[in-house]
Amino acid sequence: MHETNRRYVLAKRPEGVPDKETFELEETEIPDLETGQVLVQTVYLSVDPYMRDRMRAGESYAEPWDVGDPMQAAVVGRVVDSENGQWNEGDYVTGELDWAEYTVTGGSALHPVDPDLAPLSTYLGVLGMPGRTAYFGLLEEGKPTPGDTVVVSGAAGAVGSTVVQIASIAGCRVVGFAGSDTKIEYLEEIGADAAINYKQTDDYRAALDDAAPEGVDVYFDNVGGPISDAVFTKLNTDARIAVCGQIAHYNEEGVVTGPRKLPQILPTRATISGFIVSDYAPRFEQATQRLGNWVAAGDITYRETITEGLENAPDAFLGLFEGENIGKQLVQVTDE
Amino acid sequence: MHETNRRYVLAKRPEGVPDKETFELEETEIPDLETGQVLVQTVYLSVDPYMRDRMRAGESYAEPWDVGDPMQAAVVGRVVDSENGQWNEGDYVTGELDWAEYTVTGGSALHPVDPDLAPLSTYLGVLGMPGRTAYFGLLEEGKPTPGDTVVVSGAAGAVGSTVVQIASIAGCRVVGFAGSDTKIEYLEEIGADAAINYKQTDDYRAALDDAAPEGVDVYFDNVGGPISDAVFTKLNTDARIAVCGQIAHYNEEGVVTGPRKLPQILPTRATISGFIVSDYAPRFEQATQRLGNWVAAGDITYRETITEGLENAPDAFLGLFEGENIGKQLVQVTDE
């Protein structure tokens, strides 16, 4: 039984792009458990773009982290000690825990995971928050119908690659934007009808002329910025835009400006909706079940980019903004 | 029986703000009617902001006017000659006719109006397109529920003033933006809970702190620009934005930029929807009936700004962009 723990705390709030100064790895003692508490050892830790928002002071949908306090992440781990009747040593669990080797938790926010049913890591990816985000964002906000053209930005990421595949299952023409040749190949592998490398052209409108010759019915937006600006010029009547993320803007400070979109949605009667996957919590089980079936049937495949070692978690996080990951970016903290 | 007609044609496409050069008043002969045709004398002619869009080449939801061709408007008039069994001399009608003293039409796009049921002019205002736009835009796109705070830009215009009153009927707190003291008084008269003169302050956010202390649930946007920028910073969770018009931008050329709104709607899960009233055509009768009942009961009142004489139609139209009108801007071409 370990007696010391290593965990990341928010060292200071970043201005613009976070860097190594943003994070501090601190060593602490693991306290004795009180009644009801559980000690979880992190196996995989998920780093996600939305975490940038929690580094910022002020209101958002996720509560900001305090400077000096541990940062949280979706984690898959195993129970190594328990004073809680609900959890036993050796149980595999998932929950919102610390960026740490170990977390002491009350146990009520943990969910069981079954390593025999699906690989442990998938509970942070295609069967976890990113998969559910793709599922509800595309189907409930994007409302695709067969024959629609669906455009996905950040298409090779954990959410985007799942959206691409669900849109294919739904009978749509799928166009993905991604930032490297490897990612473009990956998108073609998973069934995208066209894929645009946004680092190889500035003229996204022209690229869309070829990739989406019948215009855009659904836009699943993970990115924002110039990709969105181009897609908005190609919207069909009654187009739906699901705003899932805006990674292009997370590191920008102050008022970010760009082409106005409200005048553009008037002639098209388009609908733009922001959504947060947690709003769909009552239906999470449905999503996990369907995603699990599609994965089991081979209709949805997934990739992971795994960084080894807790100490490299900041690099893994910062890599998201450089587009380094294909599929889900995880940090493996200890062996399964 | 008159033998000559005066009508406005599009003399040239404006760049930026239209001016007198945009319009040309031409005199023509009224041709003999062919079988099936009807000659309608214009009594009232409606000028509306969306007409600016028809002066522009290129696709929009309304077909562009060709240079040299007559411009169209919603008109209330009377049949003065008819070779069509459906229409008789003396009938009052409404339809999309020319900016003219007389229009020869096939008669199929005319609708009867009853001058005994409601004043003729209201068929171009509260019981016409502006009233229906307010009705469907607020209720179907804005989806107000009792207790919501509804913000309306361009609140003293034909559409806006009807939105203010329907939102009051729907049990909402209503905040209107308008551009003169007279308009602010008018908004208070018709039941706005707060009214902001956007020409008297630059700090719309601070004004909204007072006027909408519980944030904004529904934004009915006729205007765009800095008013919208401020309202977007005050959106509540699940806010609905109905984009009806963007008069602040109609005279701008090229790519218009401003604060990006997609990042803002993510934490709020807001929905922005563009709409065109004609999409609700199958339900127009319902809207007209309810609006008529509310007008008859005094729950909805209306104002009109009437410019006399066809020759002054361009001034009436240009005045819309200066915010000169309260309520519906009409041109009276001849006596009722």
Side-chain angles (χ1 to χ4, degrees), chain A residues 135-193:
Chain A
Y135 181 87
F136 291 111
L138 178 66
L139 299 181
E140 298 295 328
E141 311 283 337
K143 298 185 180 68
T145 56
D148 278 354
T149 296
V150 176
V151 174
V152 186
S153 60
V159 175
S161 60
T162 311
V163 172
V164 166
Q165 295 175 90
I166 301 175
S168 280
I169 292 170
C172 300
R173 176 179 177 82
V174 189
V175 179
F177 277 89
S180 75
D181 287 343
T182 316
K183 289 180 179 177
I184 297 301
E185 275 168 37
Y186 172 54
L187 291 178
E188 286 161 357
E189 257 175 62
I190 62 174
D193 297 282

Short mmCIF file of all heavy atoms in Angstrom, two decimals, chain A residues 135-193:
data_model
loop_
_atom_site.label_atom_id
_atom_site.label_comp_id
_atom_site.label_asym_id
_atom_site.label_seq_id
_atom_site.Cartn_x
_atom_site.Cartn_y
_atom_site.Cartn_z
N TYR A 135 -22.99 11.20 -29.64
CA TYR A 135 -24.31 10.59 -29.83
C TYR A 135 -25.42 11.63 -29.69
O TYR A 135 -26.24 11.82 -30.60
CB TYR A 135 -24.49 9.46 -28.81
CG TYR A 135 -25.80 8.72 -28.89
CD1 TYR A 135 -25.96 7.64 -29.75
CD2 TYR A 135 -26.88 9.09 -28.09
CE1 TYR A 135 -27.16 6.96 -29.83
CE2 TYR A 135 -28.09 8.42 -28.16
CZ TYR A 135 -28.23 7.35 -29.03
OH TYR A 135 -29.42 6.68 -29.10
N PHE A 136 -25.46 12.32 -28.57
CA PHE A 136 -26.56 13.27 -28.34
C PHE A 136 -26.39 14.54 -29.18
O PHE A 136 -27.37 15.11 -29.67
CB PHE A 136 -26.68 13.61 -26.86
CG PHE A 136 -27.16 12.45 -26.03
CD1 PHE A 136 -26.33 11.81 -25.14
CD2 PHE A 136 -28.46 11.98 -26.18
CE1 PHE A 136 -26.77 10.73 -24.39
CE2 PHE A 136 -28.92 10.90 -25.43
CZ PHE A 136 -28.07 10.27 -24.54
N GLY A 137 -25.16 14.97 -29.33
CA GLY A 137 -24.94 16.20 -30.10
C GLY A 137 -25.37 16.02 -31.54
O GLY A 137 -26.06 16.87 -32.11
N LEU A 138 -24.96 14.90 -32.14
CA LEU A 138 -25.34 14.70 -33.54
C LEU A 138 -26.83 14.41 -33.66
O LEU A 138 -27.54 15.04 -34.45
CB LEU A 138 -24.54 13.55 -34.16
CG LEU A 138 -24.95 13.28 -35.62
CD1 LEU A 138 -24.58 14.43 -36.53
CD2 LEU A 138 -24.37 11.97 -36.13
N LEU A 139 -27.32 13.46 -32.87
CA LEU A 139 -28.69 12.98 -33.12
C LEU A 139 -29.75 13.93 -32.59
O LEU A 139 -30.79 14.11 -33.22
CB LEU A 139 -28.87 11.57 -32.53
CG LEU A 139 -27.95 10.50 -33.12
CD1 LEU A 139 -28.21 9.15 -32.49
CD2 LEU A 139 -28.11 10.42 -34.65
N GLU A 140 -29.50 14.56 -31.44
CA GLU A 140 -30.52 15.42 -30.84
C GLU A 140 -30.41 16.86 -31.28
O GLU A 140 -31.41 17.55 -31.41
CB GLU A 140 -30.45 15.33 -29.30
CG GLU A 140 -30.72 13.94 -28.76
CD GLU A 140 -32.15 13.47 -29.03
OE1 GLU A 140 -33.07 14.30 -29.07
OE2 GLU A 140 -32.33 12.25 -29.23
N GLU A 141 -29.19 17.34 -31.45
CA GLU A 141 -29.03 18.75 -31.84
C GLU A 141 -28.92 18.87 -33.37
O GLU A 141 -29.48 19.76 -33.98
CB GLU A 141 -27.79 19.37 -31.19
CG GLU A 141 -27.68 19.12 -29.68
CD GLU A 141 -28.59 20.00 -28.83
OE1 GLU A 141 -29.01 21.07 -29.30
OE2 GLU A 141 -28.90 19.60 -27.69
N GLY A 142 -28.18 17.94 -33.98
CA GLY A 142 -27.98 18.00 -35.43
C GLY A 142 -29.15 17.43 -36.23
O GLY A 142 -29.37 17.80 -37.36
N LYS A 143 -29.90 16.52 -35.61
CA LYS A 143 -31.08 15.91 -36.24
C LYS A 143 -30.84 15.51 -37.70
O LYS A 143 -31.55 15.97 -38.61
CB LYS A 143 -32.27 16.87 -36.16
CG LYS A 143 -32.70 17.21 -34.73
CD LYS A 143 -33.96 18.08 -34.74
CE LYS A 143 -34.40 18.44 -33.33
NZ LYS A 143 -33.46 19.36 -32.64
N PRO A 144 -29.87 14.63 -37.94
CA PRO A 144 -29.59 14.25 -39.32
C PRO A 144 -30.67 13.36 -39.90
O PRO A 144 -31.25 12.54 -39.18
CB PRO A 144 -28.27 13.47 -39.21
CG PRO A 144 -28.31 12.88 -37.83
CD PRO A 144 -29.03 13.89 -36.97
N THR A 145 -30.96 13.52 -41.18
CA THR A 145 -31.85 12.59 -41.87
C THR A 145 -31.06 11.99 -43.04
O THR A 145 -30.13 12.62 -43.54
CB THR A 145 -33.14 13.28 -42.36
OG1 THR A 145 -32.78 14.37 -43.20
CG2 THR A 145 -33.95 13.80 -41.20
N PRO A 146 -31.44 10.78 -43.46
CA PRO A 146 -30.68 10.12 -44.52
C PRO A 146 -30.59 11.02 -45.76
O PRO A 146 -31.58 11.62 -46.17
CB PRO A 146 -31.50 8.86 -44.81
CG PRO A 146 -32.23 8.60 -43.54
CD PRO A 146 -32.55 9.95 -42.97
N GLY A 147 -29.39 11.08 -46.33
CA GLY A 147 -29.18 11.93 -47.50
C GLY A 147 -28.61 13.30 -47.15
O GLY A 147 -28.11 14.01 -48.02
N ASP A 148 -28.69 13.69 -45.89
CA ASP A 148 -28.10 14.96 -45.45
C ASP A 148 -26.59 14.94 -45.61
O ASP A 148 -25.96 13.89 -45.50
CB ASP A 148 -28.39 15.20 -43.95
CG ASP A 148 -29.77 15.78 -43.70
OD1 ASP A 148 -30.49 16.11 -44.66
OD2 ASP A 148 -30.14 15.92 -42.50
N THR A 149 -26.03 16.11 -45.83
CA THR A 149 -24.58 16.26 -45.74
C THR A 149 -24.23 16.80 -44.36
O THR A 149 -24.73 17.84 -43.94
CB THR A 149 -24.06 17.23 -46.82
OG1 THR A 149 -24.31 16.64 -48.11
CG2 THR A 149 -22.55 17.45 -46.66
N VAL A 150 -23.38 16.04 -43.66
CA VAL A 150 -22.96 16.39 -42.30
C VAL A 150 -21.49 16.77 -42.35
O VAL A 150 -20.66 15.99 -42.82
CB VAL A 150 -23.14 15.20 -41.34
CG1 VAL A 150 -22.61 15.54 -39.94
CG2 VAL A 150 -24.61 14.79 -41.26
N VAL A 151 -21.16 17.97 -41.88
CA VAL A 151 -19.76 18.40 -41.80
C VAL A 151 -19.34 18.38 -40.34
O VAL A 151 -20.08 18.84 -39.46
CB VAL A 151 -19.57 19.80 -42.40
CG1 VAL A 151 -18.14 20.29 -42.18
CG2 VAL A 151 -19.89 19.79 -43.89
N VAL A 152 -18.15 17.84 -40.08
CA VAL A 152 -17.64 17.72 -38.72
C VAL A 152 -16.27 18.41 -38.66
O VAL A 152 -15.39 18.08 -39.47
CB VAL A 152 -17.47 16.24 -38.33
CG1 VAL A 152 -17.08 16.11 -36.86
CG2 VAL A 152 -18.74 15.44 -38.64
N SER A 153 -16.10 19.35 -37.75
CA SER A 153 -14.76 19.91 -37.54
C SER A 153 -14.11 19.18 -36.36
O SER A 153 -14.81 18.69 -35.48
CB SER A 153 -14.84 21.42 -37.30
OG SER A 153 -15.60 21.72 -36.15
N GLY A 154 -12.79 19.11 -36.36
CA GLY A 154 -12.10 18.30 -35.35
C GLY A 154 -12.51 16.85 -35.50
O GLY A 154 -12.74 16.13 -34.52
N ALA A 155 -12.59 16.40 -36.75
CA ALA A 155 -13.24 15.12 -37.05
C ALA A 155 -12.42 13.91 -36.62
O ALA A 155 -12.97 12.82 -36.50
CB ALA A 155 -13.56 15.04 -38.54
N ALA A 156 -11.13 14.07 -36.41
CA ALA A 156 -10.30 12.92 -36.05
C ALA A 156 -10.12 12.77 -34.55
O ALA A 156 -9.43 11.87 -34.09
CB ALA A 156 -8.94 13.01 -36.75
N GLY A 157 -10.75 13.64 -33.79
CA GLY A 157 -10.66 13.57 -32.34
C GLY A 157 -11.62 12.53 -31.77
O GLY A 157 -12.32 11.83 -32.51
N ALA A 158 -11.65 12.46 -30.45
CA ALA A 158 -12.47 11.44 -29.79
C ALA A 158 -13.95 11.64 -30.11
O ALA A 158 -14.65 10.70 -30.46
CB ALA A 158 -12.25 11.50 -28.28
N VAL A 159 -14.42 12.87 -29.99
CA VAL A 159 -15.83 13.15 -30.29
C VAL A 159 -16.06 13.10 -31.80
O VAL A 159 -16.96 12.41 -32.29
CB VAL A 159 -16.24 14.52 -29.72
CG1 VAL A 159 -17.67 14.86 -30.14
CG2 VAL A 159 -16.14 14.53 -28.19
N GLY A 160 -15.22 13.84 -32.54
CA GLY A 160 -15.43 13.97 -33.98
C GLY A 160 -15.45 12.64 -34.70
O GLY A 160 -16.32 12.40 -35.56
N SER A 161 -14.53 11.75 -34.36
CA SER A 161 -14.48 10.47 -35.10
C SER A 161 -15.70 9.62 -34.81
O SER A 161 -16.15 8.84 -35.65
CB SER A 161 -13.19 9.72 -34.76
OG SER A 161 -13.13 9.43 -33.38
N THR A 162 -16.29 9.78 -33.64
CA THR A 162 -17.53 9.06 -33.34
C THR A 162 -18.70 9.70 -34.09
O THR A 162 -19.57 8.99 -34.61
CB THR A 162 -17.78 9.05 -31.82
OG1 THR A 162 -16.57 8.63 -31.16
CG2 THR A 162 -18.89 8.08 -31.45
N VAL A 163 -18.71 11.02 -34.17
CA VAL A 163 -19.76 11.70 -34.95
C VAL A 163 -19.72 11.24 -36.40
O VAL A 163 -20.75 10.93 -37.00
CB VAL A 163 -19.58 13.24 -34.88
CG1 VAL A 163 -20.56 13.93 -35.84
CG2 VAL A 163 -19.79 13.75 -33.46
N VAL A 164 -18.52 11.19 -36.98
CA VAL A 164 -18.39 10.76 -38.37
C VAL A 164 -19.05 9.41 -38.57
O VAL A 164 -19.81 9.19 -39.52
CB VAL A 164 -16.88 10.69 -38.77
CG1 VAL A 164 -16.69 9.92 -40.07
CG2 VAL A 164 -16.29 12.09 -38.87
N GLN A 165 -18.80 8.50 -37.65
CA GLN A 165 -19.30 7.13 -37.81
C GLN A 165 -20.80 7.02 -37.55
O GLN A 165 -21.51 6.29 -38.23
CB GLN A 165 -18.49 6.18 -36.93
CG GLN A 165 -17.03 6.12 -37.40
CD GLN A 165 -16.15 5.28 -36.48
OE1 GLN A 165 -16.01 4.09 -36.66
NE2 GLN A 165 -15.57 5.92 -35.48
N ILE A 166 -21.30 7.77 -36.56
CA ILE A 166 -22.75 7.73 -36.33
C ILE A 166 -23.48 8.37 -37.52
O ILE A 166 -24.52 7.89 -37.96
CB ILE A 166 -23.15 8.44 -35.01
CG1 ILE A 166 -22.44 7.79 -33.81
CG2 ILE A 166 -24.66 8.41 -34.81
CD1 ILE A 166 -22.67 8.52 -32.48
N ALA A 167 -22.90 9.43 -38.07
CA ALA A 167 -23.53 10.08 -39.23
C ALA A 167 -23.56 9.13 -40.42
O ALA A 167 -24.53 9.11 -41.19
CB ALA A 167 -22.80 11.38 -39.57
N SER A 168 -22.52 8.32 -40.57
CA SER A 168 -22.53 7.32 -41.65
C SER A 168 -23.62 6.29 -41.42
O SER A 168 -24.36 5.94 -42.33
CB SER A 168 -21.18 6.59 -41.71
OG SER A 168 -20.23 7.36 -42.38
N ILE A 169 -23.72 5.82 -40.18
CA ILE A 169 -24.77 4.86 -39.84
C ILE A 169 -26.14 5.45 -40.15
O ILE A 169 -27.05 4.76 -40.58
CB ILE A 169 -24.67 4.47 -38.34
CG1 ILE A 169 -23.39 3.67 -38.08
CG2 ILE A 169 -25.91 3.68 -37.89
CD1 ILE A 169 -23.07 3.44 -36.61
N ALA A 170 -26.26 6.78 -39.94
CA ALA A 170 -27.55 7.45 -40.14
C ALA A 170 -27.84 7.74 -41.61
O ALA A 170 -28.83 8.41 -41.93
CB ALA A 170 -27.59 8.74 -39.32
N GLY A 171 -26.96 7.28 -42.50
CA GLY A 171 -27.25 7.42 -43.93
C GLY A 171 -26.89 8.76 -44.53
O GLY A 171 -27.47 9.17 -45.54
N CYS A 172 -25.94 9.45 -43.90
CA CYS A 172 -25.58 10.78 -44.36
C CYS A 172 -24.28 10.76 -45.17
O CYS A 172 -23.47 9.85 -45.03
CB CYS A 172 -25.39 11.72 -43.16
SG CYS A 172 -26.88 11.86 -42.17
N ARG A 173 -24.10 11.79 -45.99
CA ARG A 173 -22.79 12.07 -46.57
C ARG A 173 -22.00 12.82 -45.51
O ARG A 173 -22.47 13.80 -44.94
CB ARG A 173 -22.94 12.94 -47.82
CG ARG A 173 -21.61 13.36 -48.42
CD ARG A 173 -21.74 14.20 -49.69
NE ARG A 173 -20.42 14.61 -50.13
CZ ARG A 173 -19.60 13.84 -50.85
NH1 ARG A 173 -19.99 12.63 -51.21
NH2 ARG A 173 -18.40 14.27 -51.19
N VAL A 174 -20.77 12.35 -45.23
CA VAL A 174 -20.01 12.92 -44.11
C VAL A 174 -18.71 13.55 -44.61
O VAL A 174 -17.95 12.92 -45.36
CB VAL A 174 -19.66 11.84 -43.07
CG1 VAL A 174 -19.08 12.50 -41.82
CG2 VAL A 174 -20.89 11.03 -42.70
N VAL A 175 -18.49 14.79 -44.19
CA VAL A 175 -17.29 15.52 -44.55
C VAL A 175 -16.57 15.89 -43.26
O VAL A 175 -17.17 16.50 -42.37
CB VAL A 175 -17.63 16.80 -45.34
CG1 VAL A 175 -16.36 17.58 -45.68
CG2 VAL A 175 -18.45 16.47 -46.59
N GLY A 176 -15.30 15.52 -43.16
CA GLY A 176 -14.55 15.84 -41.95
C GLY A 176 -13.41 16.80 -42.21
O GLY A 176 -12.74 16.71 -43.23
N PHE A 177 -13.21 17.72 -41.29
CA PHE A 177 -12.03 18.59 -41.30
C PHE A 177 -11.04 18.05 -40.27
O PHE A 177 -11.42 17.78 -39.12
CB PHE A 177 -12.39 20.02 -40.89
CG PHE A 177 -12.93 20.87 -42.00
CD1 PHE A 177 -14.29 20.91 -42.26
CD2 PHE A 177 -12.08 21.66 -42.77
CE1 PHE A 177 -14.80 21.72 -43.27
CE2 PHE A 177 -12.58 22.47 -43.78
CZ PHE A 177 -13.95 22.50 -44.04
N ALA A 178 -9.78 17.91 -40.65
CA ALA A 178 -8.74 17.52 -39.70
C ALA A 178 -7.41 18.11 -40.18
O ALA A 178 -7.34 18.64 -41.29
CB ALA A 178 -8.66 16.01 -39.58
N GLY A 179 -6.36 17.98 -39.35
CA GLY A 179 -5.15 18.76 -39.59
C GLY A 179 -3.89 18.00 -39.96
O GLY A 179 -2.80 18.56 -39.81
N SER A 180 -3.98 16.77 -40.45
CA SER A 180 -2.77 16.10 -40.93
C SER A 180 -3.15 15.01 -41.92
O SER A 180 -4.30 14.55 -41.94
CB SER A 180 -1.98 15.47 -39.77
OG SER A 180 -2.64 14.29 -39.31
N ASP A 181 -2.19 14.60 -42.73
CA ASP A 181 -2.47 13.55 -43.71
C ASP A 181 -2.86 12.25 -43.04
O ASP A 181 -3.74 11.53 -43.52
CB ASP A 181 -1.24 13.31 -44.60
CG ASP A 181 -1.04 14.46 -45.58
OD1 ASP A 181 -2.01 15.24 -45.79
OD2 ASP A 181 0.08 14.60 -46.11
N THR A 182 -2.21 11.95 -41.91
CA THR A 182 -2.55 10.73 -41.18
C THR A 182 -4.01 10.78 -40.74
O THR A 182 -4.72 9.77 -40.81
CB THR A 182 -1.64 10.60 -39.93
OG1 THR A 182 -0.31 10.92 -40.32
CG2 THR A 182 -1.71 9.21 -39.35
N LYS A 183 -4.43 11.93 -40.27
CA LYS A 183 -5.82 12.05 -39.84
C LYS A 183 -6.78 11.94 -41.02
O LYS A 183 -7.87 11.34 -40.90
CB LYS A 183 -6.03 13.39 -39.13
CG LYS A 183 -5.36 13.45 -37.76
CD LYS A 183 -5.60 14.79 -37.09
CE LYS A 183 -4.95 14.84 -35.72
NZ LYS A 183 -5.12 16.16 -35.07
N ILE A 184 -6.40 12.51 -42.14
CA ILE A 184 -7.26 12.41 -43.33
C ILE A 184 -7.42 10.96 -43.74
O ILE A 184 -8.54 10.50 -44.04
CB ILE A 184 -6.67 13.26 -44.49
CG1 ILE A 184 -6.62 14.75 -44.10
CG2 ILE A 184 -7.46 13.05 -45.78
CD1 ILE A 184 -7.95 15.38 -43.76
N GLU A 185 -6.32 10.21 -43.72
CA GLU A 185 -6.41 8.78 -44.03
C GLU A 185 -7.31 8.07 -43.04
O GLU A 185 -8.12 7.21 -43.42
CB GLU A 185 -5.02 8.12 -43.94
CG GLU A 185 -4.20 8.24 -45.21
CD GLU A 185 -2.76 7.83 -44.95
OE1 GLU A 185 -2.53 6.87 -44.16
OE2 GLU A 185 -1.87 8.48 -45.52
N TYR A 186 -7.16 8.43 -41.79
CA TYR A 186 -7.99 7.82 -40.75
C TYR A 186 -9.47 8.09 -41.01
O TYR A 186 -10.32 7.20 -40.93
CB TYR A 186 -7.56 8.35 -39.38
CG TYR A 186 -8.46 7.96 -38.23
CD1 TYR A 186 -8.79 6.63 -37.97
CD2 TYR A 186 -8.99 8.94 -37.38
CE1 TYR A 186 -9.62 6.28 -36.92
CE2 TYR A 186 -9.82 8.60 -36.33
CZ TYR A 186 -10.13 7.27 -36.10
OH TYR A 186 -10.95 6.93 -35.06
N LEU A 187 -9.79 9.34 -41.37
CA LEU A 187 -11.19 9.68 -41.63
C LEU A 187 -11.74 8.87 -42.80
O LEU A 187 -12.90 8.45 -42.78
CB LEU A 187 -11.32 11.19 -41.92
CG LEU A 187 -11.08 12.09 -40.72
CD1 LEU A 187 -11.19 13.56 -41.11
CD2 LEU A 187 -12.08 11.78 -39.60
N GLU A 188 -10.92 8.67 -43.80
CA GLU A 188 -11.38 7.86 -44.94
C GLU A 188 -11.60 6.41 -44.50
O GLU A 188 -12.60 5.79 -44.88
CB GLU A 188 -10.41 7.99 -46.11
CG GLU A 188 -10.58 9.36 -46.77
CD GLU A 188 -9.40 9.82 -47.63
OE1 GLU A 188 -8.39 9.08 -47.68
OE2 GLU A 188 -9.49 10.92 -48.21
N GLU A 189 -10.71 5.92 -43.66
CA GLU A 189 -10.86 4.56 -43.12
C GLU A 189 -12.18 4.38 -42.38
O GLU A 189 -12.81 3.32 -42.46
CB GLU A 189 -9.77 4.32 -42.08
CG GLU A 189 -8.59 3.47 -42.50
CD GLU A 189 -7.58 3.46 -41.38
OE1 GLU A 189 -7.91 2.99 -40.24
OE2 GLU A 189 -6.48 3.98 -41.62
N ILE A 190 -12.57 5.38 -41.62
CA ILE A 190 -13.79 5.21 -40.79
C ILE A 190 -15.04 5.65 -41.53
O ILE A 190 -16.10 5.77 -40.94
CB ILE A 190 -13.69 5.92 -39.42
CG1 ILE A 190 -13.54 7.43 -39.57
CG2 ILE A 190 -12.54 5.31 -38.59
CD1 ILE A 190 -13.57 8.20 -38.25
N GLY A 191 -14.92 5.91 -42.82
CA GLY A 191 -16.13 6.08 -43.62
C GLY A 191 -16.51 7.50 -44.00
O GLY A 191 -17.60 7.71 -44.54
N ALA A 192 -15.62 8.47 -43.75
CA ALA A 192 -15.93 9.82 -44.22
C ALA A 192 -15.95 9.82 -45.75
O ALA A 192 -15.11 9.19 -46.39
CB ALA A 192 -14.90 10.83 -43.71
N ASP A 193 -16.94 10.49 -46.33
CA ASP A 193 -17.03 10.55 -47.79
C ASP A 193 -16.04 11.54 -48.37
O ASP A 193 -15.65 11.44 -49.52
CB ASP A 193 -18.46 10.93 -48.19
CG ASP A 193 -19.45 9.86 -47.73
OD1 ASP A 193 -19.54 8.82 -48.38
OD2 ASP A 193 -20.09 10.07 -46.68
#
